[in-house]
Amino acid sequence: MAGGQSPWDEGLEYPADWSPPRIDTSMPHPNRMYNYLVGGKDHFQADRDAAEQLVKARPDTVITVRAVESFTRRAVQRLAESGIRQFLQMGSAITIANSNDQAASERAPDTRTFIYVADDPISLAHARALLVGRPGPPVTVIGGNFRDPEKIMSSPQIADRLDFREPVGLLLFGMLDYIANDRRARRALDFLLDKVSAGSMAALFHVTEVESEEVNNALDEALAQDEIELTPRTAEHVQELVAGYHFIDPGLVPITDWHPDGTGPGPDLAERTAAIGGVILKQ
């Protein structure tokens, strides 16, 4: 399709063309902002400034990030316990310390493959250096825009490493809430789940709006850059976005309520966590 658009982009209100990834340390990037918020080292001043603006607009961001780290680990382990042995993670929430491939192998040492997708060249370089080749399941880190999963799924690296005849664990962490257009977010989700076989599972979370117009307006102003595209939605809005899919127990819920194990924020902080999450089972 002309201009590099994806098939599901027809009729959208804005063009979906993305320039090839480039290293521009003057612009913040979601991967590096997340890395900064979880205490990593792979970020630049622009990323730190944008993350601090986010924290200023939503002071509970650090609590939410801590809850997200705990939720993603629990979700990956639940998928592994359910028999998933091949994983594909895409989105902005890619961590190197306490990585999700390690979480999977803790529950399933026979995990066959774990693929990370990122569109930031700096995050890619660091992830490849630190995740690939270490003990644990075979890890592959590839470049790709998670907002355009068709290109990712047609990659020879994906075809060589994932067996689509068997269930796949899709880890959509920091994905749907970083796609501003509802239709494009839904089409991306539909495409991914159409691609995998029955029995596959998709773990996801989504940052939610808070009940404060002042805070939400401040967030919009702080993250106005198109490159970030962080789009908090109400819990009801997220439910509409994923309507029709079957979520395993306990459903799409606040992430602190999803099979808690005591590693996330305590009960006194849980209500300040602004994210919901769950796991879809493809039937």
Side-chain angles (χ1 to χ4, degrees):
M1 186 171 294
Q5 289 181 302
S6 303
W8 57 84
D9 290 326
E10 292 183 356
L12 294 185
E13 296 178 359
Y14 63 97
D17 306 66
W18 272 58
S19 300
R22 67 187 189 281
I23 298 177
D24 184 356
T25 60
S26 68
M27 296 297 297
H29 190 281
N31 286 91
R32 301 193 302 264
M33 288 173 59
Y34 185 81
N35 183 272
Y36 173 70
L37 289 169
V38 299
K41 300 179 180 179
D42 303 324
H43 43 74
F44 296 93
Q45 190 62 50
D47 308 306
R48 296 189 286 273
D49 290 345
E52 290 297 339
Q53 282 185 291
L54 175 57
V55 172
K56 183 177 179 180
R58 293 180 64 156
D60 291 340
T61 293
V62 175
I63 298 172
T64 298
V65 167
R66 180 183 169 196
V68 162
E69 286 285 276
S70 176
F71 166 78
T72 58
R73 192 198 73 260
R74 299 194 310 273
V76 171
Q77 292 180 338
R78 180 55 60 96
L79 267 61
E81 292 167 353
S82 300
I84 300 293
R85 294 296 181 268
Q86 47 183 354
F87 294 83
L88 173 63
Q89 177 170 338
M90 58 182 70
S92 64
I94 296 178
T95 57
I96 293 176
N98 303 314
S99 61
N100 287 326
D101 59 282
Q102 293 177 318
S105 63
E106 287 174 5
R107 291 292 190 273
D110 58 336
T111 296
R112 294 198 306 273
T113 188
F114 205 108
I115 302 175
Y116 292 96
V117 179
D119 69 340
D120 170 49
I122 296 170
S123 299
L124 282 169
H126 284 283
R128 283 173 174 156
L130 297 175
L131 297 178
V132 176
R134 66 180 181 178
V139 172
T140 301
V141 182
I142 67 174
N145 181 355
F146 62 81
R147 299 178 180 90
D148 194 358
E150 185 186 57
K151 290 182 180 179
I152 294 171
M153 299 303 272
S154 64
S155 163
Q157 294 170 298
I158 296 291
D160 290 345
R161 290 165 175 80
L162 293 181
D163 183 352
F164 289 107
R165 298 168 298 180
E166 298 185 11
V168 174
L170 299 172
L171 309 177
L172 312 181
F173 299 149
M175 177 178 169
L176 297 181
D177 45 0
Y178 279 86
I179 304 178
N181 184 281
D182 285 0
R183 288 178 58 198
R184 193 173 191 201
R186 176 64 189 228
R187 290 180 185 183
L189 180 63
D190 288 346
F191 177 83
L192 289 169
L193 284 164
D194 285 345
K195 183 73 174 178
V196 297
S197 65
S200 294
M201 306 175 87
L204 59 90
F205 71 82
H206 196 296
V207 173
T208 54
E209 288 185 350
V210 297
E211 295 181 2
S212 168
E213 184 176 354
E214 180 181 357
V215 170
N216 290 323
N217 289 341
L219 178 66
D220 291 342
E221 183 176 351
L223 300 178
Q225 298 96 333
D226 291 339
E227 291 80 2
I228 298 176
E229 209 171 320
L230 175 59
T231 309
R233 296 176 172 95
T234 65
E236 294 76 14
H237 194 164
V238 179
Q239 293 278 4
E240 293 173 1
L241 191 64
V242 299
Y245 285 111
H246 173 72
F247 281 81
I248 66 172
D249 183 72
L252 185 62
V253 298
I255 56 176
T256 51
D257 293 341
W258 199 89
H259 299 288
D261 62 359
T263 61
D268 56 327
L269 297 177
E271 63 181 19
R272 295 167 57 187
T273 299
I276 60 175
V279 172
I280 294 171
L281 172 64
K282 180 171 180 179
Q283 299 177 305

